[in-house]
């Protein structure tokens, strides 16, 4: 970039210096009026800068003008332009660095979000599995408790039924013994032994049960 600016400045200086020195060369105050009056009068009809007698003067003023303008451009204008370009380059570099940093931060945020989302899904799945296992275990425990309670109730009911049956059989034996005792008393005309009648009824009941 600096090389291009220097070349452009050099071309501009050359063109400007050529125009300046042409103006100086065409000025009659820079010629010797006493010695070259006739030549100046003759050359005034054409372009003075194309007169070979003026070439040394033109080259001298061209060199002086070029050096002066180059010094001005090199010390004032070119540093300002270079500073502006450098500031612009630094600003662009800073913008690129900021954009790259923001992109990296966005990537980090996205990666963190995806990791947290994956962890949340894993935890939710684990919680569902735990709840399912816990519910299943509780249901099985409750069912087992109901089974045990039902079996216990059935056993208690069987005991009560057996007790009621035994009690009923005992009452029936007592009734049968009383009936048999009264029947024997009426037949024999004498009171019968109630205890003996009960023993006879129990013996008959055991034989029937066997």
């Amino acid at each position: 970039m600096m090389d291009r600016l220097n070349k452009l400045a050099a071309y501009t200086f050359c063109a400007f210096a050529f125009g300046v020195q042409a103006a100086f060369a065409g000025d009659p105050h820079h010629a010797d009026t006493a010695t070259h009056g006739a030549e100046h009068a003759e050359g005034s009809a054409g372009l003075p800068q194309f007169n070979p007698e003026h070439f040394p003067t033109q080259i001298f003023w061209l060199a002086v003008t070029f050096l002066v303008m180059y010094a001005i451009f090199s010390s004032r204008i070119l540093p300002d332009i270079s500073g502006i370009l450098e500031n612009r380059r630094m600003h662009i570099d800073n913008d690129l660095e900021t954009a790259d940093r923001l992109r990296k931060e966005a990537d980090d945020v996205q990666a963190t979000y995806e990791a947290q989302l994956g962890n949340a899904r894993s935890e939710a799945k684990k919680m569902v599995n735990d709840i399912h296992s816990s519910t299943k275990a509780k249901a099985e425990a409750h069912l087992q408790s109901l089974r045990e309670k039902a079996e216990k109730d059935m056993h208690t009911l069987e005991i009560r039924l057996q007790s009621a049956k035994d009690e009923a059989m005992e009452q029936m034996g007592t009734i049968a013994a009383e009936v048999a005792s009264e029947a024997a008393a009426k037949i024999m005309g004498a009171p019968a032994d109630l205890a003996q009648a009960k023993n006879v009824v129990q013996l008959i009941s055991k034989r029937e049960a066997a």
Side-chain angles (χ1 to χ4, degrees):
M1 180 63 71
M2 291 299 300
D3 294 337
R4 293 181 180 179
L5 289 176
N6 290 331
K7 290 180 180 179
L8 179 61
Y11 294 152
T12 304
F13 298 154
C14 290
F16 183 76
F18 183 77
V20 171
Q21 64 85 25
F24 278 115
D27 191 354
H29 295 287
H30 291 278
D32 189 358
T33 55
T35 307
H36 303 286
E39 289 82 0
H40 180 70
E42 293 177 357
S44 61
L47 295 175
Q49 59 268 28
F50 291 111
N51 190 346
E53 295 180 357
H54 297 160
F55 283 173
T57 305
Q58 293 178 6
I59 294 173
F60 171 76
W61 285 112
L62 175 63
V64 171
T65 305
F66 177 80
L67 292 176
V68 171
M69 296 300 295
Y70 185 79
I72 294 173
F73 269 78
S74 299
S75 61
R76 296 292 184 87
I77 298 176
L78 289 180
D80 293 340
I81 296 175
S82 299
I84 293 172
L85 294 177
E86 183 66 20
N87 291 333
R88 182 177 178 83
R89 185 187 64 79
M90 292 177 62
H91 183 69
I92 293 174
D93 292 340
N94 292 332
D95 291 341
L96 292 176
E97 291 178 358
T98 302
D100 186 63
R101 178 174 56 81
L102 293 176
R103 181 183 60 80
K104 291 181 179 179
E105 291 179 356
D107 293 339
D108 294 338
V109 170
Q110 184 177 2
T112 303
Y113 169 75
E114 291 178 354
Q116 292 179 353
L117 183 61
N119 293 332
R121 288 177 178 174
S122 300
E123 291 179 359
K125 185 177 181 180
K126 183 179 179 181
M127 290 177 62
V128 170
N129 293 332
D130 293 342
I131 292 173
H132 182 267
S133 300
S134 177
T135 304
K136 184 178 180 181
K138 289 181 179 179
E140 291 179 354
H142 184 64
L143 181 60
Q144 183 65 26
S145 177
L146 292 177
R147 288 176 180 174
E148 293 176 356
K149 186 176 183 300
E151 291 177 356
K152 184 178 180 180
D153 292 341
M154 288 294 295
H155 183 67
T156 303
L157 182 60
E158 289 177 356
I159 293 174
R160 292 177 63 183
L161 289 174
Q162 186 64 35
S163 177
K165 182 179 179 182
D166 294 340
E167 185 178 357
M169 291 298 295
E170 184 178 356
Q171 291 178 359
M172 289 179 63
T174 302
I175 294 172
E178 291 178 354
V179 171
S181 177
E182 290 179 358
K186 288 181 179 181
I187 293 172
M188 293 184 299
D193 188 1
L194 182 59
Q196 186 178 2
K198 287 183 178 181
N199 291 332
V200 173
V201 172
Q202 290 178 357
L203 181 61
I204 294 172
S205 298
K206 289 180 180 180
R207 287 180 180 179
E208 290 179 355

